[in-house]
């Protein structure tokens, strides 16, 4: 029997169907609200204007992001892509950065060229529905001046095997964002209603009582001292999660506790997907965690003779305790190369690590941002075919290549990639009163360009000694 129109168990199975976000003309800057405080990255601009929360984004920003999103669709739809070879990238380091994006093949490459043609499967692309995001939205007891945009369907929707799951979200301004994908989700379900499930997680109230007042005012010292508590802007009164905090590895899914996903949200996922093993993940050095796809990115599974690979963010190393399962099952972590630039566009609310926000087309081929030469080299050395696309104009719209997509169908199965798991494995996070305090991370290999945000011994984190050392160093 052919597989269903909705099927995705991993991050790397051959990508067959994808939804790509849209930079709608009435996209807005995120309004301030209890789950969100924004700041302008450019200090001069920040002195001149306040955060334009709720205002429509500039038509120039919309135009540029629209062109880059359309180009991504064209590349995904293409069956042959001419990719820059490693040798030509090395030469090109001396040239303008914008000369190296992959081209959709229109004619055979020059015989003298060392560029290569990648024959890829066509990925069928759909787009989110155009929406007016500029209208005020309200619920009982709350109101925000505008919504946001639908450039990042990854945040609201996830395919979990044969199930389309619409996330709760945690920001009021993003409460109705799923509607930009709703028509598509319904049509996927209607094509195969016996096999496809389309479900939504419990919609949160979005009342003030869901949020931790004061989170945005904590000083850096306070954040370090509270690191062990993993408490962010949403409290545990209602389950919340963003779909982008989840990463799929066959029978196991890994969910980051973050500003956008709480323990209750992870518990809801665990009880709602009993055929999957749900594992919380914590990255203590990320003081503002939101979405796992710039932190921990599974690239390919273990095969006979070669370990599975996960790209990790060297500023946000995973815990030793949560890494042990991976190492025991023949997975290797690779530090991501540093971003090509630490500069962020003025209105971007994401980190420079959007550099690692890649999309896998298969376990051999990935799409990355065209400026990310350090990452290009790393992945090339790991034998990936690398398709490059321009995507920096999306940074102002909350994401990059992984964020702006929702993979609906991959050629993969619910395989067990963690056979060496204790027979008695129980989801500890389901126990009443569950509280997690571990902050012991794996070592970060500086040879890979990695850097640890906090160079002080981890044993001091969350203690008076740690706070004192921070104050002494003026950080
Ligand atoms: N939406 C992904 C952003 C993650 C980050 O800022 O690192």
């Amino acid at each position: 029997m052919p597989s269903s129109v909705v099927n995705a168990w991993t991050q790397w199975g051959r990508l067959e169907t994808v939804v790509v976000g849209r930079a709608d003309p009435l996209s807005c800057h995120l309004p301030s609200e209890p789950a969100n405080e924004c700041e302008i990255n450019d200090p001069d601009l920040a002195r001149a204007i306040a955060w334009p929360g709720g205002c429509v984004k500039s038509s120039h920003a919309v135009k540029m992001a629209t062109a880059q999103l359309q180009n991504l669709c064209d590349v995904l739809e293409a069956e042959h892509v001419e990719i820059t070879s490693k040798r030509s990238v090395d030469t090109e380091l001396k040239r303008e950065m914008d000369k190296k994006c992959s081209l959709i093949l229109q004619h055979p490459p020059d015989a003298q060229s060392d560029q290569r043609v990648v024959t890829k499967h066509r990925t069928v692309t759909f787009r989110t529905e155009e929406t007016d995001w500029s209208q005020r939205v309200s619920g009982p007891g709350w109101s925000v001046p505008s919504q946001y945009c639908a450039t990042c369907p990854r945040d609201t929707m996830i395919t979990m095997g044969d199930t389309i799951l619409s996330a709760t979200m945690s920001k009021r301004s993003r409460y109705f964002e799923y509607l930009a994908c709703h028509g598509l989700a319904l049509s996927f379900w209607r094509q195969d209603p016996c096999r496809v499930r389309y479900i939504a997680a419990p919609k949160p109230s979005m009342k003030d009582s869901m949020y931790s007042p004061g989170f945005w005012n904590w000083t850096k010292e306070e954040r370090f001292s509270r690191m062990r508590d993993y408490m962010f802007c949403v409290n545990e009164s209602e389950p919340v999660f963003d779909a982008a905090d989840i990463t799929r590895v066959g029978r196991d899914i890994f969910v980051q506790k973050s500003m956008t996903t709480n323990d209750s949200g992870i518990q809801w996922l665990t009880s709602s997907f009993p055929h999957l093993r749900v594992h919380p993940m914590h990255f203590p050095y990320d003081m503002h965690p939101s979405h796992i796809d710039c932190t921990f990115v599974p690239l390919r599974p273990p095969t006979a003779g070669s370990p599975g690979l996960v790209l990790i963010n060297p500023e946000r190393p995973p815990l030793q305790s949560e890494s042990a399962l991976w190492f025991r099952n023949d997975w290797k972590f690779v530090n991501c190369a540093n971003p090509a630039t630490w500069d962020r566009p003025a209105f971007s609310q994401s980190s420079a690590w959007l550099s690692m926000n890649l999309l896998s087309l298969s376990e051999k081929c990935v799409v990355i941002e065209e400026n990310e030469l350090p990452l290009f080299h790393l992945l090339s050395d790991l034998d990936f075919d690398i398709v490059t696309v321009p995507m920096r104009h999306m940074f102002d719209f909350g994401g990059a290549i992984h964020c702006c997509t929702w993979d609906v169908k991959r050629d993969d199965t619910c395989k067990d990639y963690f056979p060496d798991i204790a027979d008695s494995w129980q989801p500890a996070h389901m126990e009443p009163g569950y509280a997690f305090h571990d902050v012991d991370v794996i070592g970060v290999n500086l040879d890979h360009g990695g850097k640890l945000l906090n160079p002080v011994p981890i044993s001091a984190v969350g203690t008076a000694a740690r706070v004192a050392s921070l104050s002494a160093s003026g950080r």
Side-chain angles (χ1 to χ4, degrees):
M1 186 162 49
S3 64
S4 155
V5 292
V6 171
N7 181 84
W9 301 92
T10 69
Q11 299 302 120
W12 60 77
R14 200 183 71 221
L15 184 62
E16 296 186 6
T17 310
V18 75
V19 176
V20 176
R22 197 187 276 280
D24 295 324
L26 293 175
S27 298
C28 290
H29 292 279
L30 271 172
S32 295
E33 53 168 304
N36 184 52
E37 286 287 333
C38 298
E39 53 188 40
I40 298 174
N41 300 316
D42 177 336
D44 292 334
L45 190 60
R47 270 190 291 277
I49 61 165
W51 174 258
C55 297
V56 171
K57 286 181 180 275
S58 76
S59 55
H60 177 72
V62 166
K63 184 173 141 203
M64 301 308 275
T66 296
Q68 296 195 333
L69 289 167
Q70 184 56 51
N71 177 66
L72 175 65
C73 292
D74 295 345
V75 167
L76 292 172
E77 288 272 353
E79 291 183 345
H80 306 278
V81 179
E82 187 178 333
I83 61 170
T84 308
S85 73
K86 190 167 188 302
R87 183 152 63 84
S88 68
V89 167
D90 283 336
T91 312
E92 217 166 294
L93 276 170
K94 301 184 188 64
R95 300 191 198 145
E96 294 291 320
M97 296 287 264
D98 62 359
K99 293 213 180 108
K100 66 192 172 318
C101 72
S102 299
L103 301 170
I104 299 160
L105 189 69
Q106 274 144 3
H107 49 80
D110 171 0
Q112 304 303 314
S113 160
D114 70 341
Q115 293 188 326
R116 287 191 302 122
V117 176
V118 171
T119 301
K120 57 185 270 301
H121 281 81
R122 173 175 176 240
T123 302
V124 177
T125 60
F126 293 89
R127 305 303 299 273
T128 51
E129 190 174 316
E130 187 171 333
T131 304
D132 174 358
W133 303 98
S134 67
Q135 305 297 309
R136 172 172 287 278
V137 289
S138 307
W142 61 267
S143 180
V144 275
S146 76
Q147 301 191 67
Y148 179 40
C149 57
T151 45
C152 295
R154 178 72 55 187
D155 300 353
T156 50
M157 309 298 284
I158 183 165
T159 307
M160 303 265 274
D162 56 7
T163 301
I164 297 169
L165 171 63
S166 161
T168 64
M169 310 308 286
S170 63
K171 292 185 177 69
R172 293 167 173 172
S173 51
R174 305 193 72 181
Y175 190 83
F176 292 108
E177 197 174 305
Y178 74 98
L179 287 173
C181 296
H182 184 54
L184 283 172
L186 284 176
S187 80
F188 295 134
W189 168 69
R190 286 201 169 106
Q191 283 174 55
D192 198 349
C194 294
R195 287 199 292 172
V196 173
R197 292 197 307 152
Y198 175 27
I199 61 172
K203 297 305 267 178
S205 68
M206 301 285 179
K207 287 181 180 159
D208 286 351
S209 56
M210 268 180 50
Y211 302 100
S212 303
F215 171 83
W216 299 102
N217 300 327
W218 291 350
T219 61
K220 219 175 247 183
E221 287 78 3
E222 257 178 300
R223 281 188 203 287
F224 277 115
S225 69
R226 291 168 182 256
M227 210 170 164
R228 283 183 193 279
D229 297 334
Y230 294 99
M231 292 293 290
F232 305 109
C233 47
V234 284
N235 60 33
E236 294 295 335
S237 57
E238 299 182 44
V240 296
F241 66 93
D242 274 14
D245 276 316
I246 303 171
T247 196
R248 295 173 307 238
V249 188
R251 196 182 156 193
D252 294 79
I253 65 164
F254 296 82
V255 190
Q256 169 180 240
K257 176 152 187 207
S258 70
M259 296 195 300
T260 39
T261 294
N262 60 12
D263 286 328
S264 308
I266 302 174
Q267 287 170 337
W268 182 84
L269 286 162
T270 307
S271 57
S272 304
F273 291 87
H275 55 300
L276 299 175
R277 294 181 296 223
V278 177
H279 308 262
M281 288 202 82
H282 301 79
F283 302 90
Y285 286 100
D286 191 351
M287 298 291 152
H288 296 90
S290 169
H291 306 162
I292 199 167
D293 53 0
C294 291
T295 301
F296 190 85
V297 177
L299 292 174
R300 67 178 178 226
T303 49
S306 119
L309 291 181
V310 181
L311 193 64
I312 63 165
N313 182 325
E315 271 191 349
R316 307 170 184 167
L319 296 176
Q320 287 174 29
S321 58
E322 292 175 347
S323 303
L325 174 70
W326 295 80
F327 298 150
R328 240 184 12 253
N329 286 278
D330 200 20
W331 289 82
K332 188 174 148 191
F333 294 171
V334 182
N335 277 329
C336 188
N338 277 352
T341 170
W342 296 101
D343 286 346
R344 297 183 298 148
F347 297 107
S348 170
Q349 295 306 296
S350 305
S351 72
W353 291 103
L354 283 176
S355 61
M356 64 186 280
N357 192 246
L358 57 81
L359 178 69
S360 294
L361 301 188
S362 70
E363 59 187 74
K364 293 190 174 46
C365 185
V366 292
V367 188
I368 71 168
E369 212 285 328
E370 65 168 9
N371 290 290
E372 298 303 331
L373 297 180
L375 179 61
F376 183 102
H377 280 278
L378 175 71
L379 293 171
S380 176
D381 290 347
L382 292 168
D383 283 332
F384 285 95
D385 282 336
I386 303 149
V387 175
T388 57
V389 293
M391 198 48 75
R392 279 191 74 79
H393 287 292
M394 252 294 291
F395 289 19
D396 265 343
F397 288 78
I401 300 163
H402 193 254
C403 301
C404 75
T405 55
W406 156 33
D407 34 350
V408 174
K409 184 169 182 185
R410 288 185 179 270
D411 181 12
D412 60 11
T413 59
C414 182
K415 190 172 161 183
D416 186 352
Y417 294 100
F418 297 89
D420 185 0
I421 197 165
D423 285 344
S424 57
W425 183 80
Q426 290 292 333
H429 58 280
M430 295 296 278
E431 286 163 18
Y434 165 79
F436 190 87
H437 298 291
D438 186 1
V439 288
D440 290 337
V441 296
I442 61 164
V444 173
N445 181 353
L446 296 176
D447 294 343
H448 288 271
K451 59 178 194 154
L452 194 53
L453 183 69
N454 170 10
V456 171
I458 192 78
S459 53
V461 168
T463 66
R466 168 79 192 119
V467 175
S469 82
L470 271 168
S471 309
S473 67
R475 289 177 60 188

